Amino acid sequence: QVQLVESGGGLVQAGGSLRLSCTASGRTFSFYAVGWFRQAPGKEREFVTSIRFVDGTSYYVDSVKGRFTISRDNAKNTVYLQMNSLKPEDTAVYYCAANLWSLTATTTRPEYWGQGTQVTVSS
């Protein structure tokens, strides 16, 4: 059974930092891209970032470039999202997702989803 298990969400003040983790299990993810989407109240889910396990190719939405960093630990099948300089507009449920080879803003239906973790940034 394939699972994506997220952790690390919480409440932080504006300007603060959080680190999210997503651990994948249940199959080989070597050629998968794993990343994060987020959904704020009343808004559509949007792509945030992704990284490909095999070669580290990564993508970011413009609004988080320079503030968020995605990384991976292949041995642990885990992806990390370091979020710095957080803003109230980053408040959302963050969902880990995995897709074969590529995961970008144009990926409408990733193969796998995590359960989501809440990130709240207070002003």
Side-chain angles (χ1 to χ4, degrees), residues 52-73:
R52 188 180 299 148
F53 270 117
V54 68
D55 61 7
T57 298
S58 61
Y59 300 94
Y60 294 90
V61 68
D62 285 347
S63 60
V64 307
K65 286 180 180 177
R67 300 188 299 122
F68 291 11
T69 302
I70 193 168
S71 61
R72 91 278 195 208
D73 184 332

Side-chain angles (χ1 to χ4, degrees), residues 38-46 87-95 117-121:
R38 65 185 179 185
Q39 188 166 20
K43 295 188 176 181
E44 292 187 355
R45 191 173 298 189
E46 68 166 348
K87 305 175 180 180
E89 51 263 44
D90 294 317
T91 295
V93 178
Y94 283 69
Y95 295 92
T117 186
Q118 178 70 47
V119 171
T120 303
V121 184

Side-chain angles (χ1 to χ4, degrees), residues 102-117:
S102 179
L103 184 70
T104 69
T106 62
T107 307
T108 55
R109 293 184 178 181
E111 288 186 59
Y112 305 109
W113 287 102
Q115 79 283 0
T117 186

